[in-house]
Amino acid sequence: MNNAPVATIQSESLHEPDELLEAVVNTVADAEGVSPLELQPLASVIDPDTFDTLFPSETGDVTLEFEYQGYRVRISGDTRVTVEVSHG
């Protein structure tokens, strides 16, 4: 199975939880070639409050990984956030 990233977003502005949630959904939708509205709600996979708790981190680099729509989503960063999507 290929675990190479299919999409990666790096940004210094993805520090609001809503921006992170939107980036994840949009990145997976782009990888699937569908509208974000066609995906299952992200909240059915991970508690959105997790994003509030972890990002932005003032204690150093943080990494959060989870499965969504058959993809492995990896979010990492402290001052620069990376959203990486790869095949599960």
Side-chain angles (χ1 to χ4, degrees), residues 61-80:
D61 198 22
V62 175
T63 300
L64 172 66
E65 292 188 31
F66 57 94
E67 294 284 330
Y68 178 56
Q69 294 287 140
Y71 291 87
R72 167 65 78 204
V73 177
R74 182 176 187 268
I75 303 173
S76 61
D78 49 6
T79 60
R80 185 173 182 89

Side-chain angles (χ1 to χ4, degrees), residues 24-25 27-29 31-32 34-42 44-45 66-73 85-88:
V24 169
V25 172
T27 302
V28 171
E32 283 289 293
V34 300
S35 164
L37 299 175
E38 295 179 54
L39 301 178
Q40 75 185 74
L42 187 57
S44 69
V45 177
F66 57 94
E67 294 284 330
Y68 178 56
Q69 294 287 140
Y71 291 87
R72 167 65 78 204
V73 177
V85 176
S86 57
H87 289 284

Side-chain angles (χ1 to χ4, degrees), residues 11-42:
S11 177
E12 293 178 9
S13 64
L14 291 177
H15 290 288
E16 293 299 319
D18 290 343
E19 292 171 340
L20 281 170
L21 293 169
E22 185 176 333
V24 169
V25 172
N26 287 337
T27 302
V28 171
D30 286 348
E32 283 289 293
V34 300
S35 164
L37 299 175
E38 295 179 54
L39 301 178
Q40 75 185 74
L42 187 57

